Amino acid sequence: MNGVHDMGGMHGFGPVVVEKDEPVFHSRWEATVRALMTLALRRYFNLDEFRHAIERMPAGDYLRASYYEKWLHAVETLLLEKRVITPQELTAGRASSPPAQPTASHAERPPLRALFKVGDRVVTRNLNPTGHTRLPRYARGREGVVRTVNGPFLLPDTNAHGGGPDWEACYAVEFTAGELWGAAEFESDTVCIDLWESYLIGEENT
């Protein structure tokens, strides 16, 4: 989906501040959130659902929230939506009954069948989906080169919404900075993005 979270290549957010000797957690509650997410992942929700829950945050809340505040929002949202917990239990901070049984399932991975190979030139589709996707806005409608072929992996666009299982090859596609952002002075810089097969078109088909 197009939202404030998809800010790659956007201006106006200031420099990226790198904290020297940054600890893994700044506060104890962050470690608790990390543990909660780890315990719930693949039991009650998958990683694509988790990412989409963060994407659904109101724009103002998203921009104000810290990294683990976003994680906490996603865990709370998904456990409520899947009725693992109730709003009353969330407010009280303790369970009133045993938790619901896990609902997430594990799909068996099929053999890899890849349409493209290393060295192929591809163009990304120009999509504006209303749901989850791993194709960022700044890379849509751009030409790149396949550097590695991986997978198959579940397609995030359907996996985040309870669809599928849709297995696809996933490619590391290399783009120049000039192709992505028109930055001619940084033309030698490149970016590799992991992209699923349905995001791509062969150059000969464009």
Side-chain angles (χ1 to χ4, degrees):
M1 61 187 293
N2 296 336
V4 69
H5 67 281
D6 193 0
M7 60 178 61
M10 294 176 62
H11 299 286
F13 294 99
V16 176
V17 179
V18 179
E19 182 180 346
K20 184 178 180 181
D21 300 322
E22 181 180 7
V24 176
F25 304 110
H26 289 85
S27 302
R28 184 177 179 84
W29 71 266
E30 295 181 335
T32 301
V33 171
R34 171 72 194 214
L36 287 171
M37 189 273 191
T38 301
L39 288 170
L41 183 66
R42 289 187 291 274
R43 286 177 59 83
Y44 298 110
F45 53 80
N46 62 56
L47 187 58
D48 296 312
E49 291 175 306
F50 176 79
R51 287 170 169 155
H52 187 50
I54 294 176
E55 294 168 358
R56 290 185 281 141
M57 291 179 69
D61 294 344
Y62 180 91
L63 292 173
R64 284 189 295 269
S66 67
Y67 185 78
Y68 280 107
E69 285 173 340
K70 294 182 177 77
W71 278 39
L72 179 59
H73 170 88
V75 171
E76 290 177 349
T77 296
L78 290 167
L79 293 184
L80 286 168
E81 289 178 348
K82 293 175 181 292
R83 299 184 179 181
V84 179
I85 61 174
T86 67
Q88 294 74 24
E89 289 173 327
L90 182 60
T91 300
R94 58 181 177 273
S96 59
S97 60
Q101 292 300 307
T103 56
S105 60
H106 303 279
E108 184 176 348
R109 182 180 306 210
L112 173 63
R113 294 183 177 87
L115 178 63
F116 305 109
K117 63 183 184 301
V118 172
D120 281 354
R121 300 197 70 83
V122 293
V123 177
T124 56
R125 297 181 183 274
N126 191 3
L127 307 173
N128 288 285
T130 57
H132 180 64
T133 187
R134 297 290 286 169
L135 174 56
R137 275 181 295 183
Y138 67 83
R140 296 174 191 168
R142 307 299 185 185
E143 182 180 313
V145 180
V146 173
R147 293 306 183 201
T148 65
V149 181
N150 310 289
F153 298 117
L154 287 169
L155 178 65
D157 305 51
T158 52
N159 197 41
H161 303 283
D166 297 320
W167 294 93
E168 292 187 7
C170 184
Y171 306 88
V173 181
E174 181 181 275
F175 303 88
T176 66
E179 176 68 14
L180 294 178
W181 299 295
E185 66 273 30
F186 301 111
E187 186 65 36
S188 61
D189 292 347
T190 59
V191 176
C192 261
I193 308 175
D194 289 331
L195 299 174
W196 274 255
E197 190 166 276
S198 59
Y199 300 166
L200 304 174
I201 306 169
E203 189 181 48
E204 68 279 3
N205 295 322
T206 59

